[in-house]
Amino acid sequence: MAVTWSCKLCMQRNSMDSDQCITCGRRADWKPRSEGEMEVYRRKDVAVQRAVRPAREDADVPRSDAIQSALSILLQILMTMMCPVRFLRMDEQLRVQHLTTITVVNGPGLVWINPFKSYHITKAVTLGVLDYVRVRDTMDGSERAVRGPRLFFLGPYEKLEGAGQGVSLTSMQYVLIQDKQTGERKVQRGPLIWIPGPREEGKVMNGVRLNSTEYVSVEDSLTGARRVEKGPCIWFPGPYEEWEQGSGVWLSSTEFVTVQNTLSGDKRVDKGPCVWFPGPYDQWTKGASASLTCTQQLHQSVIRLPRRLAVSLRTLAAISVSKRQLALRYITVVNKLTGASSMVKGPCIWFPGPYDSASAVKEAIVLQDDEYVKLKDISTGTRWVHRGKGLLFLEPTWRIENSMSSSGVQKSWGLRGREFFRLQVAPHLRVTKS
């Protein structure tokens, strides 16, 4: 086999005996200094070669180039027909069904499609600020909620279950949310835009506005705990709380409330003046204190009045009559816890204790020097006579006997120098004046 060498410009093989290329005339040790220089030399050499070659070879070269270009164009056409090209816009998605899987391609872009596989192009979902969609994955059954603003593309195995708009809540509103899957509740307060979850349902409600004299009694239906929230405020309930709104109780300086704690059973009395709020376990009753006046103080004020004004004797007589009509007020108090009874005399403003039960306000009996009353103690059966002058306060078990007047006060008999009483005991008590 003959040994040859190749020209580095035209790649012509030459024998080892020849020191120049038989085609381009380059020496065997020639090397191009750059790619550009090589292209220039090639173009010149091709022109020289075309000039040196016979006419038959010059006709064959362009024919072969035309055939190659035609074949390449035909191949591109066949490839385009077999694998069509699609241009995807920004809001388009290509979904291709393979033998066992699905693939997706999101736009924008240029994609090649296999014509032997089924495919279709879908539009993306444009979500605004308040918009949302519920999506379910058919592969694992999971669900999720997607909120805007965004351009949303479905996954390969996802389907739309529904769409809607979120709720805009102000600072005075809240939403009570319940999860259908777990049954759990929660509360979200405004201001916000609430987007429900895949299995959530919500109810929008307004907060409770409380002024300085209002309150809400709150009970947690899950734990049973109770509490009281007072104003002024905007009150928001918890997820399991039930509530009832009420107003505080105005108490003057002579009013009170008797309060019983239903949890512990304790009782107490809260006095005015104030705005009273009940506790979470309080039951209460409003009442007014008893105002007890004093006869002595009234007597003194009445006696001083004529002296300062220097009124007539007729006025003095009228005042002396009015003095008899005045009486000292008192009440009888029974403690329901211990059973002990007591008497409260004026002058005072009396407030009951938590276990006190008071009788109606009574008036003491005023006795002059010549007046008396007959009394009987119904608890012991003892009888006696109480003589004036003074004030008589009747105990709870005392009763007045044998009285011809409504007040029970009787006048004594005045005896002159030669008069006397004859007393007959049997068979009936009888007194005869002689």
Side-chain angles (χ1 to χ4, degrees), residues 9 83 122 162 246 271 297 343-344 385-386 423:
L9 178 64
C83 300
T122 60
K271 305 175 184 179
Q297 293 179 352
M343 183 181 296
V344 179
V385 175
H386 186 86
L423 180 63

Side-chain angles (χ1 to χ4, degrees), residues 39 47 80 137 159 208 237 242 264 291 294 322 347 359 427:
E39 290 294 331
T80 304
D137 194 315
K159 289 186 177 181
V208 182
E242 298 177 356
S264 62
S291 180
C294 179
S322 64
S359 65

Side-chain angles (χ1 to χ4, degrees), residues 25 47 49 55 62 80 125 135 158 177 233 257 308 357 382 417:
Q49 183 179 1
T80 304
V125 181
V135 183
E158 290 182 340
I177 306 168
C233 66
V257 286
R308 281 182 290 195
S357 175
T382 306

Side-chain angles (χ1 to χ4, degrees), residues 67-141:
I67 294 175
Q68 291 180 0
S69 61
L71 290 176
S72 63
I73 293 173
L74 180 62
L75 181 62
Q76 290 180 2
I77 294 173
L78 292 176
M79 290 295 295
T80 304
M81 294 178 61
M82 294 181 62
C83 300
V85 178
R86 290 291 182 271
F87 293 93
L88 297 180
R89 297 180 180 179
M90 185 176 295
D91 59 342
E92 290 181 336
Q93 181 188 63
L94 174 66
R95 301 179 67 89
V96 181
Q97 176 67 55
H98 302 279
L99 293 178
T100 58
T101 59
I102 298 174
T103 59
V104 295
V105 179
N106 300 331
L110 176 66
V111 293
W112 295 84
I113 302 175
N114 190 340
F116 300 102
K117 295 180 181 180
S118 61
Y119 69 92
H120 63 277
I121 297 175
T122 60
K123 288 285 186 178
V125 181
T126 303
L127 300 177
V129 178
L130 297 178
D131 298 332
Y132 71 93
V133 290
R134 291 180 178 178
V135 183
R136 183 171 61 90
D137 194 315
T138 58
M139 181 67 71
D140 56 11

Side-chain angles (χ1 to χ4, degrees), residues 178-192:
Q178 183 172 7
D179 194 316
K180 289 184 176 180
Q181 184 175 4
T182 62
E184 184 181 358
R185 290 182 181 180
K186 61 181 179 179
V187 169
Q188 289 187 359
R189 304 177 185 177
L192 57 84

